[in-house]
Amino acid sequence: MAPMKKLLNDPADVVVEALAGMAAAHPDHLRVDLDHKLVLRADAPVSGKVALVSGGGSGHEPLHGGFVGRGMLDAACAGEVFTSPVPDQILAATTAVDGGAGVLHVVKNYTGDVMNFEMAAELAAEAGIQVEAVVTDDDVAVQDSLFTAGRRGVGVTVLLEKIVGAAAEEGQDLAACAALARRVNEQGRSMGIALTSCTVPAAGKPTFELAEDEMEIGIGIHGEPGRSTEKLAPARDIAARLVEPVLSDLSLKRGEQVIAFVNGMGGTPLLELYVMYGEVKRLLDDAGVTVARSLVGNYITSLEMAGCSVTLLRVDEEMVRCWDAPVDTPGLRWGG
Amino acid sequence: MAPMKKLLNDPADVVVEALAGMAAAHPDHLRVDLDHKLVLRADAPVSGKVALVSGGGSGHEPLHGGFVGRGMLDAACAGEVFTSPVPDQILAATTAVDGGAGVLHVVKNYTGDVMNFEMAAELAAEAGIQVEAVVTDDDVAVQDSLFTAGRRGVGVTVLLEKIVGAAAEEGQDLAACAALARRVNEQGRSMGIALTSCTVPAAGKPTFELAEDEMEIGIGIHGEPGRSTEKLAPARDIAARLVEPVLSDLSLKRGEQVIAFVNGMGGTPLLELYVMYGEVKRLLDDAGVTVARSLVGNYITSLEMAGCSVTLLRVDEEMVRCWDAPVDTPGLRWGG
């Protein structure tokens, strides 16, 4: 087998080495717990604030570790690449960041993630920590998948972590944060496409095969199959194949407002993501849907996979206010 | 020939469509002039402020258009992919953003860029606009290259645009901004490595070939050859191959301070860039060089090329102050 074209040492060490590098790159913002593979806000626990804990398999960076910081997550639990974090990690994160106001678990809907976050929540409750959980399941591509019962959690997770992180920062209590998180998940939908596969370091070979003239519509963020394998198409056709099912599933009507999020899967240049955003915006204009805010870039990735996803979130006033609030993380940063 | 695995419509339209998408995604920050292929600060010209204009071939995003905004560039001129912008574009940008305090041209050292910026500067001077130019040539890999006499301008350009953008924002005059820009270029050096090639949309096939077990050390940002093609190696060995020539060329001594910048070429996951940063930091620790600030991510890319570059900038107090100053662009954003 040919060696992988990756910048790493031993594939078994990639997650721990990346976490150590992350801590070295952001000493003022973050600390890491290498034993538990956690990324923590440097100032955690923040007394009296609801803490947000998320996590999942690695390989989706900047999600989740890159979203730890003021106005977003208090901790992220890093599983091995495309592998759920274990209950011990999640419990350690929950304990480390609880500031007395309870902890919200943000969980993408994958069987292992959901099970392990539930187990950790029970253990935390036994230790006297109040925990609520919200599970994201925004991917309209498939009903069940290789790794899920029900829909997969994808792009909405990024928007939720930003919006609910701001709500926690402004002092909302655990019940209010959980309610807002559920509202965001209910009002958001996503769909993705892949042009190439990706290679998990420990596997050493591409997760799946796509012919030179093929793309996978409705791909998941681990290379799990989507709706169909099809011939390559121009950006405008691909945009329509992504936007239409999302518009339809959300029953978006003329005059409604959304956050429009065009996300890169990791291996697609920003130049192309902006071409896609132009197409998405045109389709929304045609549908009479107003873009209140937008986000374009690599935020929830699948290693070096080429492709993108489109997420639309129907917003209300509170969501927009929380979106605009300051955030200071390695992956998302704005405001004073 | 197999179709390209790219999200675009007609390859001939990719730059204009990306610029239009960018304008749609950032309506509060930017406007674009599609005729001249310019990205402009929404509030340009800013009266009494020195304006910064840069530009170059497209395909390096977020450089340069993504760095237009408060605290960084006033305008960016987008050439076709990996192709210099023409004098007309540069003149139009210079005229559009001049606020009466003069314009600084930031030019990467490629023969076409230098020639066209010089011609535009002459035309602007004839029109009564004061122009100074600084040429970046920080790449230690090769003395001359396919596209340059002398060293190529690469990663330092990002740091320079941030630092000098802040100086202009705080009211420094044209001579002071130009002097600071030259100091940054003199004190910064870079070296890069590629694991894969990239494909220019209009060409439709990879720029160069690398065997499955090979990497190119000292690569340029257009896939132009570097120092040598070698067998793949672990991250720690690659880091040493990049850091050592930079340390040596800068004559960095124990106790000196740098900004350390690990830049992704576009197709390498953030997970791996953080592994590389960990290795770079360890080498700097060993050399007794202190990292005053750091930057890790995809900032000056070569489309979907896999690989990275390392830039070190020996900093003084003014550079650090300007680095920390607020910046509000699509590609780099922090502070109030």
Side-chain angles (χ1 to χ4, degrees):
Chain A
M1 196 162 67
M4 280 176 287
K5 293 237 157 168
K6 288 186 179 285
L7 297 168
L8 43 78
N9 296 305
D10 186 333
D13 300 330
V14 64
V15 172
V16 164
E17 291 186 1
L19 290 176
M22 205 178 173
H26 308 285
D28 298 338
H29 288 77
L30 305 177
R31 56 193 165 88
V32 302
D33 171 345
L34 289 182
D35 290 336
H36 289 104
K37 290 185 235 165
L38 306 180
V39 179
L40 301 156
R41 252 177 88 149
D43 61 350
V46 181
S47 179
K49 187 185 86 70
V50 170
L52 266 67
V53 172
S54 192
S58 294
H60 306 302
E61 290 69 26
L63 184 91
H64 296 277
F67 298 143
V68 172
R70 190 168 53 89
M72 217 163 161
L73 299 179
D74 295 79
C77 313
E80 288 304 312
V81 175
F82 293 179
T83 302
S84 301
V86 297
D88 264 8
Q89 290 180 271
I90 305 167
L91 178 62
T94 304
T95 307
V97 300
D98 177 41
V103 178
L104 183 68
H105 285 175
V106 179
V107 188
K108 301 192 301 301
N109 188 33
Y110 299 96
T111 309
D113 291 38
V114 171
M115 198 173 64
N116 291 349
F117 268 95
E118 275 176 3
M119 203 172 300
E122 282 168 26
L123 295 169
E126 283 169 20
I129 301 174
Q130 243 192 310
V131 178
E132 287 264 0
V134 58
V135 175
T136 59
D137 59 352
D138 54 304
D139 189 343
V140 304
V142 291
Q143 186 49 43
D144 298 304
S145 82
L146 217 50
F147 303 115
T148 50
R151 289 173 163 184
R152 301 172 296 211
V154 288
V156 146
T157 317
V158 176
L159 308 183
L160 187 155
E161 292 178 358
K162 168 66 188 87
I163 289 169
V164 182
E169 206 73 45
E170 71 180 29
Q172 296 198 31
D173 67 17
L174 184 57
C177 287
L180 176 60
R182 290 188 188 108
R183 207 161 82 233
V184 169
N185 184 56
E186 280 159 17
Q187 299 300 328
R189 298 285 191 283
S190 303
M191 177 121 161
I193 183 230
L195 299 174
T196 67
S197 182
C198 57
T199 297
V200 175
K205 59 178 176 37
T207 302
F208 63 103
E209 295 294 334
L210 268 178
E212 276 195 6
D213 60 347
E214 284 179 352
M215 61 182 178
E216 179 77 19
I217 298 262
I219 193 80
I221 55 172
H222 310 92
E224 61 271 37
R227 286 190 176 184
S228 57
T229 306
E230 302 185 10
K231 293 292 172 199
L232 287 173
R236 66 175 66 87
D237 299 339
I238 293 174
R241 295 294 303 275
L242 300 180
V243 168
E244 280 163 12
V246 169
L247 280 176
S248 152
D249 206 278
L250 272 177
S251 305
L252 272 167
K253 289 177 204 61
R254 289 195 169 268
E256 292 196 301
Q257 299 223 332
V258 297
I259 294 178
F261 172 27
V262 170
N263 172 64
M265 292 294 190
T268 282
L270 200 47
L271 191 77
E272 296 172 36
L273 296 181
Y274 277 121
V275 170
M276 282 298 295
Y277 183 78
E279 298 295 344
V280 168
K281 177 66 165 58
R282 192 180 44 74
L283 291 163
L284 295 177
D285 288 348
D286 290 350
V289 171
T290 303
V291 176
R293 300 290 184 274
S294 64
L295 184 68
V296 180
N298 293 293
Y299 293 100
I300 170 171
T301 61
S302 302
L303 296 168
E304 70 282 0
M305 183 187 282
C308 73
S309 61
V310 173
T311 298
L312 299 179
L313 170 63
R314 179 192 276 120
V315 288
D316 54 36
E317 202 182 322
E318 179 177 26
M319 291 184 206
V320 174
R321 185 188 75 236
C322 287
W323 181 256
D324 288 343
V327 60
D328 189 6
T329 73
L332 218 54
R333 230 172 146 178
W334 60 68
Chain B
M1 195 162 66
M4 278 176 289
K5 293 235 155 170
K6 289 186 179 284
L7 297 168
L8 43 78
N9 296 304
D10 186 332
D13 301 330
V14 63
V15 171
V16 164
E17 291 187 1
L19 290 177
M22 205 176 170
H26 307 284
D28 298 337
H29 288 76
L30 307 176
R31 56 194 166 86
V32 301
D33 170 345
L34 289 182
D35 291 336
H36 289 104
K37 291 187 237 167
L38 307 180
V39 179
L40 301 156
R41 253 176 86 149
D43 60 350
V46 181
S47 177
K49 187 186 85 70
V50 170
L52 266 67
V53 171
S54 192
S58 294
H60 307 301
E61 291 67 26
L63 184 91
H64 296 273
F67 298 141
V68 172
R70 191 169 53 87
M72 219 160 160
L73 298 179
D74 295 78
C77 312
E80 287 305 312
V81 175
F82 293 178
T83 302
S84 301
V86 297
D88 265 8
Q89 290 181 270
I90 304 166
L91 178 62
T94 304
T95 307
V97 301
D98 177 40
V103 179
L104 183 68
H105 285 176
V106 179
V107 188
K108 300 193 300 303
N109 188 33
Y110 299 96
T111 308
D113 291 37
V114 171
M115 197 174 64
N116 292 349
F117 267 95
E118 275 176 4
M119 202 173 301
E122 282 167 27
L123 296 168
E126 283 169 19
I129 302 175
Q130 242 194 311
V131 177
E132 287 263 0
V134 59
V135 176
T136 60
D137 58 354
D138 54 304
D139 189 343
V140 302
V142 291
Q143 187 47 42
D144 298 304
S145 84
L146 216 52
F147 303 118
T148 51
R151 289 174 162 183
R152 301 173 298 214
V154 287
V156 147
T157 317
V158 176
L159 309 183
L160 187 156
E161 292 177 358
K162 168 65 188 86
I163 289 169
V164 182
E169 206 73 46
E170 69 180 31
Q172 296 198 33
D173 67 17
L174 183 59
C177 288
L180 176 60
R182 289 186 190 112
R183 208 161 81 233
V184 169
N185 184 56
E186 280 158 18
Q187 300 300 329
R189 299 286 191 282
S190 304
M191 176 123 165
I193 183 232
L195 299 174
T196 67
S197 182
C198 57
T199 297
V200 174
K205 60 176 173 38
T207 302
F208 63 102
E209 293 295 334
L210 267 180
E212 276 195 7
D213 60 348
E214 283 179 353
M215 60 182 179
E216 180 77 18
I217 298 262
I219 193 81
I221 55 172
H222 310 92
E224 62 271 38
R227 286 190 176 182
S228 57
T229 305
E230 304 186 9
K231 293 294 170 195
L232 287 173
R236 65 175 67 87
D237 299 339
I238 294 174
R241 295 294 304 275
L242 299 180
V243 169
E244 280 162 13
V246 170
L247 281 175
S248 152
D249 207 277
L250 272 177
S251 306
L252 272 166
K253 291 178 202 60
R254 290 196 167 266
E256 290 196 300
Q257 300 223 333
V258 296
I259 293 178
F261 172 26
V262 170
N263 171 65
M265 292 292 189
T268 282
L270 199 48
L271 190 75
E272 296 171 36
L273 296 181
Y274 277 122
V275 170
M276 283 297 295
Y277 183 76
E279 299 295 344
V280 169
K281 177 66 165 59
R282 191 179 44 74
L283 291 163
L284 295 176
D285 288 347
D286 290 350
V289 172
T290 302
V291 176
R293 299 292 184 273
S294 65
L295 185 69
V296 180
N298 293 293
Y299 293 99
I300 169 170
T301 61
S302 302
L303 297 167
E304 71 282 2
M305 183 188 283
C308 73
S309 61
V310 172
T311 298
L312 299 180
L313 170 63
R314 179 193 276 119
V315 288
D316 54 37
E317 203 182 320
E318 179 177 27
M319 291 184 204
V320 174
R321 186 189 74 235
C322 287
W323 180 257
D324 288 344
V327 60
D328 189 8
T329 73
L332 218 52
R333 229 171 147 179
W334 60 68

